[in-house]
Amino acid sequence: MAEVKIIVTEDGSHSLYHAELNETYHSFHGAVQESRYVFLKEGLDFLRTSFGLDKIRVLEVGFGTGLNAILTSEWAVANKVRVEYTTLEPFPLKSEVYEALNYHEFFKGETVKERFLELHKAAWETKFQQNEFFNILKSEAKLQDFNSNSFFDIVFFDAFAPSKQSEMWDLEVIEKTASLLNSNGVFVTYCAKGQLKRDLKAVGLSVETLPGPPGKKEMVRGVKR
């Protein structure tokens, strides 16, 4: 894969800089705080509060550093909600990169680092049960090539920004993503582009523009009715 290097964001947590795209994997205002806000607070917390689910099927577009996955694993245990987590990543990180990431410093408990590394080292295309409440299936498939026999309750759409990876935000891709959602399924992303909101509405989702995480004005959440 293209060269990546570790950077420190404003909350002290690591992210990666992708040299070829001239883009970071997370907000430089704070990687951990952004993911907690966008995908946990406005994603999983919203879904659980709104629809009372005790089992949630997640599809993540962009495993990347594994930050969203470890956050979700810890959330599942804390909330006693069973989570089946499917994540797509055509370009997995090398071990020397993910082993150096400091996300364990943002959790309580002495074994978080080991649990984080478990997620990266788990075999691809095989379901891995990390604990009573969380299992993960990692796939190297691109979203455009991904197929599933079942539907998802929430999509974490965490691809690189439209200005850097426009093919991931095409209407056809958004339509396919929406087709993978259950009724009342949630689409959540850090992006708040007007074209994205129009496309989400065009494929049948109700769309909310929400306040963004620290350093960002807005984000988007869609619900399939």
Side-chain angles (χ1 to χ4, degrees), residues 23-86:
E23 179 74 323
T24 59
Y25 277 56
H26 310 94
S27 169
F28 63 84
H29 295 291
V32 168
Q33 71 178 4
E34 177 189 45
S35 289
R36 280 181 169 153
Y37 182 90
V38 174
F39 299 110
L40 298 193
K41 180 179 182 293
E42 300 298 352
L44 292 173
D45 287 344
F46 167 81
L47 183 66
R48 185 170 65 101
T49 301
S50 300
F51 305 112
L53 302 181
D54 58 6
K55 182 178 180 180
I56 295 174
R57 299 192 75 244
V58 177
L59 174 63
E60 178 186 36
V61 180
F63 178 68
T65 63
L67 175 56
N68 295 334
I70 188 60
L71 286 171
T72 302
S73 181
E74 299 296 301
W75 179 94
V77 172
N79 290 279
K80 294 182 168 55
V81 175
R82 297 186 186 280
V83 175
E84 294 187 0
Y85 197 95
T86 299

